[in-house]
Amino acid sequence: MSRSGAELAAMLEQARRMGHGEAQTALLEDLVRHADAGGLHRLAFAARRSLANAYCVDRQWDKAFPLFSRCLSEYDARPGEFGPEEDWSLRSWYANIAQSMAEFPEISLAQIYGAFEDMERRFRAGGHSLRQVYDARRWVAQLARDWPEEERCHQQWEAAGGPDPDSVWDFEVQVERLLLRGNDASVGRALALAGPVLAGEVTFTEPSAPIQCLMLLPLARAGRLEEAAKAFNRARRAMYQGVYRYEYGGMKIEFCALTGNEETGLSALREQLAGFPTLNRPNGKMEFATAAAVLLRRLTAAGRGDETVRANGSDLTWSVAELCHEMESTARDLAARFDARNGTTCQGDRIRARLTAPPVVDFLPLSPGARRPVRLEIPPGLPPEALLDRAEWHERRDEPALARRYVAAVGTPPPHLAARHAELTALTDSERAEERFRWAAEAYRQAGDQQRYLLCTCRLGNWLCDQDRFHEGLPMVTWAMGELRRTGRHELIARGELLHARSLSWAGKVPKAYQALANGVRHALACGDPILIGSLALTEGLWREFDRFPPAQVIGLADTARQAFAAAGSPGQLVRAFELRRRNHERAGAPHHFTDLVEQELATLPPSAPAQLRGYLRYRRGVALVLSGRAADALDDLIDGVGEARSRDADTAEQGYQLAVAYRAAGRAEDAMETAADVATWLDHLRELGELAEPDMANWNRLLLAECHQILGHHASALEEYEKVAASARGRNDARLLLQALMPSAKIHDLLDEDAEAAATYREAADAAAGLGDVHVAAICRASEALSLQRTGDVERALAVLAQAEAMTGALPAEPAERLPRNWAITFRSAAHVLSAAGRLQEAADRAARAATAFRQVGEVTDATTMDFLHARTLVRLGRPDLAEPLLRAIIEAAGQETPLHQAAARALAETLDQLRRSAGPSRSAPSG
């Protein structure tokens, strides 16, 4: 079916508005076919250009070459059918294509240089600047490490116009060429050149992420570690918002590998792995593979070669060692192919040097309080039985991850330990747990190990009850428990009773479950095992909390557990006992009692205390300070507490939010923004699952994130976050939350001169405020809507809304009296502008004068002076420059000399004095203003 040119042009616009992806690519491919079939050459040209971009974003760079060749041949065959737009597009595209050709080692230098000669001939024939030609030639020389040629082309590029000061890519040229030379003097020049960009003093039309990525390792090697961390975080944040070449992600990964941040690097690697196999741009593939191999070599050397790496959003998996070999082989092979093409060893030498580079520092904190992740190092040479003993020790302390590592270290167990190995594997890994429990129990039975057989049977039955298979599991646990009691061994009986109690609870037999716990406590006390005493007390405390027993009972059980776990040296369980006590102090309406306990514990904590306990207590003290209105004072405690949790990969979304609050209170908006951004999606997800203790925290966090973006001048990001909160509020019919999001959004639209958007936002905010019964805010929003409408040019609608605003303001209650002047100030200000635009100058002058008076009444002098200026200008328009003159002189005296208002008033005064000189004097019948 053929389509008209208008239909195809609409399809092209639709495709350009779409996000990158399969749908956009398919639409553009279809469009090219239809345009070719219809002989619509200009449209086909534009569609091919867009399709080439789509292929490149989708990592299929090789597909751009035939598209360009077809466009070039069409242009040459039908020059009369194409205009200046296609001519410019083709020249710019040619420079990119010629440069891209060099990224494929199978394309010979002769072919590349031939393309350059043809491109240069075309540029010269059209009388165009050769700036793009020299830039492309320079880059190819840089790739080949032909530095004399690179310098010659760079000088020609400079002479032909050089870098565009607004282009981050042109600035990147200047930095990258220095870094790749590698000598100290060049790197020093690059550091000096990039400094103002890294500090945010120089900006471009696009984010500075390419510069930040390039400078990561140079900054670290120069000892400028805080700057390197800041550059890393800024680059990471910017790259979430756009599409960047794989090399830039590789730079972040390599930086992490060489600064002790292997876990962060591994996370970044997982994000890009899914697309790596289809990346069809050999130079980019070589650079990324090298960076990945640097990281993976370090992980392998640390004994982590057997760990599994899964690509995010994909089923692709490798072991660390396998992926390391694949990445390193890819990098070395591609470097050899480039060197064969270029006739040098430069690429291979550079890749080999990167692969074997030593760490820059042992650990570089990427955020305040960050610590190197804690990893248990299993002592070498431990026999299998000792490994299983350690696994059981950790499993009893509810540390399954550590237990799993010891179990895995056993490998294939000797026959006499196979049952223990299977049982511990089932306890720490739910996959095939039932099969492993059954096999282990039977193996114990056949070996005549009656006690282990009975305890394993209890565990199997308990697992079945946890799966809601009570009819199978509970009889099994009950029988085994009876047999265990006959042994007379207190420790075994206490363990069994704990499992029995849990099984009874899951089966809904709560009174019997409490009785089983009581039995277990007697035997645990008899054997004196602190882990059992603590576990039984903690379990009973959690149950009694759930069953709404008095908080004092639960607090007593929490204290028993706390003392037992402290004696056992089990910090994770100790923290859970503290948390049980905290929650029940809150239930009792006395959270300060827990805060006092935390202070006492911190004051008496010995230096040898577990880091997990110290971090927890400092975090809780920090939260208490936040809740008492001392968020800035909480910062050090929260940094330490959250940093400790992160080092164990055990931090929570709530912790991130509390830390962000403290950063914001301390005036550290960028740190607050990064912290809030890290947990925003996580908090949203927890809210959806119903797992947030305070569901509104997700929206509070996004409001904080938006505010920080706003402070930092990231207006688009701020609006995006505010809209997410607004959408959540609309879905929940939460007018108060909606208002919290809409008011700052409207002000940002005002700032950006997006007047139609501002008017619509103020309108919705006014409705939300009215729904809440907040008539003062509703009147302010309606007046602001009128002003925004006037700025769009819709004076008629602005006048109608202004009438509503003035009526609402006039009807405001007398109390609270302190709110009225501000309402009138804002309403009068809007009225002055709207009435002036409507030509109702006398009324406008009156409202401007009243607005100035009202703003002064509330102490907003700048706004008052601005309204004085509007008043003066309106008086001039009314033919009363004599009344405007003293106002303008007062403004000039009040405003700072360098301010725009001072300069505008000075110009207006000059014009007014000139008007006075040319006039015979003011008319007595003129209005007085």
Side-chain angles (χ1 to χ4, degrees):
M1 171 183 167
S2 62
R3 297 178 182 268
S4 69
E7 287 178 307
L8 295 177
M11 284 174 63
L12 180 59
E13 283 305 308
Q14 177 189 353
R16 287 172 171 170
R17 288 193 301 269
M18 294 170 70
H20 293 295
E22 293 181 4
Q24 183 199 49
T25 301
L27 182 59
L28 287 167
E29 289 172 339
D30 190 45
L31 177 55
V32 168
R33 284 192 293 271
H34 282 291
D36 282 341
L40 302 169
H41 304 297
R42 293 190 70 181
L43 192 57
F45 181 103
R48 282 193 172 87
R49 184 71 179 93
S50 295
L51 180 57
N53 287 340
Y55 281 144
C56 291
V57 170
D58 198 32
R59 304 175 299 281
Q60 302 176 68
W61 289 70
D62 56 314
K63 291 186 176 181
F65 294 141
L67 294 172
F68 170 77
S69 296
R70 175 68 181 271
C71 285
L72 187 65
S73 62
E74 289 280 349
Y75 183 88
D76 288 342
R78 302 179 177 84
E81 293 188 26
F82 297 97
E85 182 179 346
E86 287 83 8
D87 177 63
W88 177 88
S89 178
L90 191 66
R91 281 186 286 107
S92 179
W93 193 6
Y94 206 158
N96 291 335
I97 284 290
Q99 188 169 314
S100 297
M101 289 169 66
E103 298 201 67
F104 290 77
E106 60 268 30
I107 300 178
S108 69
L109 291 178
Q111 290 173 290
I112 296 167
Y113 292 141
F116 277 135
E117 289 167 7
D118 180 58
M119 176 174 61
E120 185 169 338
R121 176 185 61 77
R122 292 172 182 272
F123 272 71
R124 289 187 183 278
H128 304 296
S129 167
L130 298 180
R131 177 180 172 277
Q132 286 182 289
V133 177
Y134 296 140
D135 185 30
R137 282 188 179 275
R138 186 213 63 79
W139 190 87
V140 173
Q142 175 180 287
L143 186 66
R145 298 302 185 267
D146 184 348
W147 294 119
E149 174 65 8
E150 191 276 343
E151 181 63 31
R152 185 183 71 82
C153 293
H154 180 71
Q155 293 298 329
Q156 290 177 317
W157 179 63
E158 291 273 9
D164 175 351
D166 292 327
S167 169
V168 69
W169 308 109
D170 284 0
F171 189 84
E172 181 191 31
V173 166
Q174 301 172 82
V175 173
E176 185 181 42
R177 64 189 297 270
L178 294 171
L179 292 176
L180 288 175
R181 278 165 165 76
N183 58 73
D184 291 345
S186 295
V187 173
R189 288 170 58 199
L191 285 164
L193 182 63
V197 174
L198 296 172
E201 298 164 4
V202 173
T203 58
F204 310 99
T205 54
E206 294 182 75
S208 301
I211 311 305
Q212 290 154 353
C213 290
L214 278 170
M215 298 308 299
L216 290 173
L217 282 172
L219 284 168
R221 288 179 173 134
R224 294 160 61 175
L225 303 184
E226 289 187 14
E227 292 176 73
K230 192 174 291 289
F232 176 84
N233 287 314
R234 287 176 174 173
R236 181 178 61 168
R237 183 172 66 248
M239 290 169 70
Y240 284 149
Q241 308 295 323
V243 178
Y244 289 83
R245 289 187 173 204
Y246 259 63
E247 290 92 319
Y248 298 109
M251 292 174 199
K252 294 190 299 175
I253 291 168
E254 191 168 352
F255 168 75
C256 289
L258 298 179
T259 57
N261 289 284
E262 290 88 355
E263 291 301 327
T264 302
L266 190 56
S267 177
L269 177 61
R270 291 191 191 100
E271 290 174 6
Q272 294 192 260
L273 270 179
F276 180 77
T278 59
L279 173 60
N280 196 354
R281 184 171 54 83
N283 183 58
K285 195 153 195 163
M286 175 182 71
E287 297 294 336
F288 183 84
T290 304
V294 171
L295 171 70
L296 295 163
R297 281 167 65 101
R298 289 189 56 76
L299 293 173
T300 303
R304 300 176 61 180
D306 292 336
E307 286 187 24
T308 298
V309 180
R310 180 182 296 275
N312 287 1
S314 167
D315 293 330
L316 295 173
T317 61
W318 303 260
S319 72
V320 166
E322 289 169 346
L323 187 58
C324 180
H325 175 74
E326 180 178 327
M327 290 293 184
E328 187 169 341
S329 298
T330 297
R332 291 181 183 274
D333 175 63
L334 286 169
R337 290 168 60 193
F338 276 110
D339 283 341
R341 194 268 309 271
N342 299 338
T344 70
T345 63
C346 292
Q347 292 291 0
D349 293 343
R350 185 175 63 87
I351 297 306
R352 285 185 287 273
R354 284 171 59 191
L355 289 171
T356 57
V360 179
V361 292
D362 180 58
F363 178 64
L364 190 163
L366 295 178
S367 61
R371 307 175 186 185
R372 179 185 279 280
V374 175
R375 283 190 59 82
L376 171 72
E377 297 300 332
I378 297 177
L382 285 181
E385 189 162 8
L387 290 169
L388 292 177
D389 287 344
R390 292 301 297 175
E392 187 171 328
W393 191 89
H394 285 295
E395 190 277 327
R396 291 196 64 209
R397 282 157 179 76
D398 200 14
E399 297 169 345
L402 298 179
R404 266 195 304 275
R405 292 197 63 203
Y406 276 103
V407 172
V410 172
T412 302
H416 71 286
L417 295 176
R420 279 189 72 192
H421 184 272
E423 183 181 18
L424 282 164
T425 302
L427 284 169
T428 57
D429 185 352
S430 60
E431 187 177 353
R432 295 171 54 204
E434 179 181 359
E435 174 189 339
R436 289 187 170 115
F437 276 133
R438 289 188 184 279
W439 187 90
E442 179 60 20
Y444 287 138
R445 190 188 66 77
Q446 290 184 12
D449 192 339
Q450 182 72 358
Q451 293 176 0
R452 289 190 183 275
Y453 163 62
L454 293 173
L455 196 56
C456 186
T457 301
C458 277
R459 286 170 173 157
L460 170 59
N462 183 71
W463 185 89
L464 291 168
C465 289
D466 188 29
Q467 306 300 307
D468 294 336
R469 292 162 63 182
F470 313 116
H471 63 288
E472 298 175 72
L474 190 55
M476 192 180 293
V477 178
T478 302
W479 171 82
M481 192 62 244
E483 296 299 312
L484 280 171
R485 291 190 190 108
R486 291 192 182 93
T487 68
R489 293 194 57 187
H490 294 300
E491 181 189 355
L492 283 173
I493 296 170
R495 287 195 192 193
E497 292 289 13
L498 180 57
L499 292 165
H500 189 206
R502 288 172 177 166
S503 301
L504 288 164
S505 174
W506 284 325
K509 302 179 182 298
V510 175
K512 290 184 177 181
Y514 277 118
Q515 183 58 52
L517 281 181
N519 294 339
V521 168
R522 287 198 305 274
H523 289 281
L525 290 172
C527 71
D529 186 322
I531 289 290
L532 282 171
I533 293 170
S535 297
L536 286 157
L538 181 62
T539 301
E540 184 175 355
L542 291 168
W543 289 0
R544 292 192 183 278
E545 178 187 43
F546 181 80
D547 291 334
R548 310 304 293 174
F549 277 71
Q553 289 187 25
V554 182
I555 288 170
L557 289 163
D559 273 344
T560 299
R562 190 164 59 87
Q563 293 161 11
F565 290 138
S570 180
Q573 291 170 310
L574 177 55
V575 165
R576 283 190 280 281
F578 267 106
E579 275 291 277
L580 179 61
R581 179 162 180 167
R582 178 188 66 80
R583 292 195 303 270
N584 283 276
H585 278 302
E586 290 181 358
R587 279 181 63 211
H592 58 283
H593 288 164
F594 183 76
T595 302
D596 292 342
L597 173 65
V598 167
E599 288 287 4
Q600 294 166 15
E601 290 287 331
L602 283 170
T604 59
L605 209 59
S608 59
Q612 182 177 355
L613 175 60
R614 187 183 302 277
Y616 167 78
L617 292 172
R618 291 201 68 182
Y619 171 74
R620 277 296 154 202
R621 182 168 67 183
V623 172
L625 287 168
V626 170
L627 294 175
S628 66
R630 298 170 57 194
D633 296 335
L635 186 56
D636 288 343
D637 279 333
L638 291 174
I639 285 175
D640 187 73
V642 177
E644 190 286 322
R646 283 178 180 167
S647 73
R648 295 180 291 106
D649 195 25
D651 55 313
T652 66
E654 178 193 349
Q655 287 178 327
Y657 169 71
Q658 298 289 3
L659 181 56
V661 169
Y663 275 134
R664 174 68 189 93
R668 293 168 59 171
E670 186 168 4
D671 288 326
M673 178 195 62
E674 289 171 356
T675 306
D678 283 344
V679 298
T681 302
W682 190 1
L683 284 167
D684 289 343
H685 180 62
L686 291 174
R687 180 183 58 196
E688 290 168 8
L689 295 176
E691 294 180 5
L692 268 186
E694 179 48 77
D696 285 335
M697 186 179 289
N699 284 318
W700 296 341
N701 184 73
R702 287 208 179 272
L703 286 172
L704 174 63
L705 176 57
E707 180 188 5
C708 292
H709 276 306
Q710 195 172 350
I711 291 168
L712 295 166
H714 308 155
H715 300 306
S717 296
L719 286 171
E720 183 180 344
E721 295 301 330
Y722 281 130
E723 177 50 36
K724 288 176 183 176
V725 177
S728 173
R730 293 183 194 107
R732 298 164 52 192
N733 198 27
D734 186 338
R736 192 171 303 281
L737 178 65
L738 181 60
L739 196 59
Q740 286 180 278
L742 292 175
M743 290 295 284
S745 293
K747 291 175 182 176
I748 295 173
H749 286 307
D750 270 341
L751 182 67
L752 300 177
D753 295 328
E754 296 172 352
D755 301 313
E757 293 84 352
T761 307
Y762 279 126
R763 184 182 313 121
E764 187 178 8
D767 293 340
L772 290 168
D774 192 336
V775 289
H776 291 82
V777 172
I780 285 174
C781 291
R782 199 65 77 194
S784 300
E785 178 193 352
L787 182 56
S788 295
L789 286 169
Q790 176 262 312
R791 288 170 175 163
T792 67
D794 193 345
V795 178
E796 185 176 345
R797 279 184 64 203
L799 285 167
V801 173
L802 176 63
Q804 296 174 28
E806 290 193 315
M808 292 169 71
T809 306
L812 289 175
E815 297 294 336
E818 64 272 11
R819 296 186 70 176
L820 281 174
R822 179 164 175 74
N823 270 91
W824 280 116
I826 292 172
T827 301
F828 286 147
R829 176 175 59 189
S830 295
H833 285 285
V834 172
L835 292 167
S836 176
R840 293 159 59 176
L841 299 181
Q842 180 58 62
E843 295 172 83
D846 172 72
R847 299 301 198 285
R850 292 189 183 191
T853 300
F855 276 125
R856 285 192 174 87
Q857 188 175 348
V858 296
E860 297 182 14
V861 178
T862 301
D863 285 326
T865 309
T866 302
M867 294 316 299
D868 284 336
F869 183 65
L870 178 60
H871 185 198
R873 297 294 286 171
T874 308
L875 288 170
V876 171
R877 292 175 64 192
L878 282 165
R880 293 305 304 267
D882 56 320
L883 297 178
E885 179 191 353
L887 271 176
L888 291 169
R889 289 190 185 278
I891 293 167
I892 291 169
E893 185 176 347
Q897 289 195 0
E898 301 301 321
T899 62
L901 182 58
H902 180 281
Q903 295 165 3
R907 288 193 299 270
L909 178 60
E911 295 169 3
T912 300
L913 291 173
D914 182 62
Q915 187 174 343
L916 284 169
R917 281 193 295 270
R918 289 187 286 104
S919 67
S923 168
R924 291 186 182 275
S925 61
S928 65

